[in-house]
Amino acid sequence: MRDEDVLPRDVDPGKASVARMYDAMLGGEHNFAIDREAVAAFTAIDPQVRTLARANRAFLGRAVRFLVDAGVRQFVDLGSGIPTQGNVHEVAQAGAPGARVVYVDNDPVAVAHSEALLADNPDATIVSADIRRPADVLSSPGVRKLIDFDQPVAVLMITILHFISREEDPAGIVAAFRDALPEGSWLALTHATDEDRPDTAAAVGQLYRDRATSPVTARSHDEIGSLFDGFDLVEPGLVHVPLWRPDRQEDVPENPSQYWVYAGVGRKSR
């Protein structure tokens, strides 16, 4: 995928993709020069961006393991991105064989690679859809085939809601998915904040507006916490991403606020 001559016809060659940028941050191969250039510009703003991306990915693994231990056997990963190590179905099915996973993304490269990865896995699929239209996601054949909405479901929104602008109503999007879930379902999310490093957040926001397919809207702790309306946050609540149930104490950084992303997991209470 590093050969620019194989750029798919439906990919904008003038804009970096947020999915492919994240892949590049994690050291993946499914990205293009335009994406790597944008990540280089991001790194100039925040030199630890790759460390932050890895911390965010590590949270995803911990959250999925927690949810499996809590009895969840169905997962919907919204804005799932390009497959890399420690994908949701790999973690979930390692802990609970037969766990069902639906990935959702609208990036054609992410969808194509997910389709290839999941071709021989009957309990996992990818749906090409935009989470800004929850009804389209929830009614899609892929979701309806694998997800039983009479049983608990975990919805994962990992670094996706900060790509939803205020006008696009992120709280309304979360509420639409929440209302489709039975009681006892779960929400896990991570979201960039502008409270700890406002200058950095502003510069990154400008970078994504100028270079990427989606802008970034960082939010305050209270704004991110309000997205859990109807869910009860489990301990330790909404915290900087490396502080959410770390596997080892040595994984906790000296200054967690340098990781300007909050993470939380909540159980549907109504």
Side-chain angles (χ1 to χ4, degrees):
M1 292 297 294
R2 288 181 180 263
D3 179 356
E4 301 304 310
D5 292 336
V6 300
L7 196 72
R9 286 183 302 172
D10 49 357
V11 169
D12 183 352
K15 287 285 187 179
S17 152
V18 297
R20 301 192 312 265
M21 285 178 65
Y22 191 50
D23 178 69
M25 292 174 197
L26 292 170
E29 296 292 328
H30 308 307
N31 51 79
F32 304 114
I34 189 73
D35 310 305
R36 298 190 291 277
E37 290 164 4
V39 171
F42 197 150
T43 305
I45 297 169
D46 184 358
Q48 69 165 15
V49 60
R50 295 178 188 274
T51 301
L52 178 56
R54 289 192 295 270
N56 185 73
R57 189 73 181 179
F59 162 79
L60 174 62
R62 297 196 304 275
V64 171
R65 289 193 296 272
F66 166 82
L67 292 164
V68 168
D69 289 344
V72 177
R73 298 296 181 265
Q74 304 184 108
F75 296 82
V76 178
D77 186 1
L78 299 172
S80 51
I82 293 169
T84 184
Q85 291 183 339
N87 296 297
V88 173
H89 73 283
E90 294 168 334
V91 177
Q93 292 171 359
R100 300 185 299 281
V101 178
V102 176
Y103 297 101
V104 180
D105 209 292
N106 64 351
D107 183 278
V109 174
V111 171
H113 283 279
S114 297
E115 288 175 340
L117 177 67
L118 303 173
D120 297 322
N121 190 325
D123 294 317
T125 192
I126 176 74
V127 169
S128 178
D130 192 326
I131 74 160
R132 295 173 181 86
R133 296 189 290 274
D136 292 351
V137 175
L138 293 165
S139 64
S140 70
V143 170
R144 288 295 167 181
K145 179 181 179 181
L146 288 186
I147 303 301
D148 177 2
F149 285 96
D150 291 326
Q151 300 296 323
V153 180
V155 171
L156 312 176
M157 296 185 170
I158 308 301
T159 57
I160 186 64
L161 289 173
H162 52 233
F163 295 115
I164 305 297
S165 69
R166 184 183 305 275
E167 294 73 25
E168 292 168 327
D169 189 14
I173 291 171
V174 177
F177 285 103
R178 179 200 65 210
D179 292 347
L181 303 176
E183 187 174 348
S185 291
W186 297 81
L187 170 67
L189 68 78
T190 62
H191 195 301
T193 181
D194 55 5
E195 285 189 336
D196 301 308
R197 301 171 63 188
D199 292 344
T200 298
V204 171
Q206 188 63 52
L207 168 69
Y208 274 83
R209 282 191 294 274
D210 292 344
R211 296 198 179 200
T213 52
S214 298
V216 168
T217 302
R219 296 183 169 92
S220 70
H221 184 275
D222 287 348
E223 288 174 315
I224 298 167
S226 70
L227 297 171
F228 281 95
D229 181 44
F231 295 88
D232 293 328
L233 282 164
V234 299
E235 292 296 332
L238 185 65
V239 295
H240 291 102
V241 68
L243 297 182
W244 197 90
R245 301 186 179 228
D247 291 328
R248 305 173 302 170
Q249 189 59 34
E250 51 264 41
D251 294 334
V252 177
E254 183 175 337
N255 186 1
S257 66
Q258 290 295 105
Y259 293 73
W260 45 289
V261 169
Y262 283 119
V265 176
R267 188 173 187 268
K268 184 175 177 179
S269 54
R270 58 177 173 82

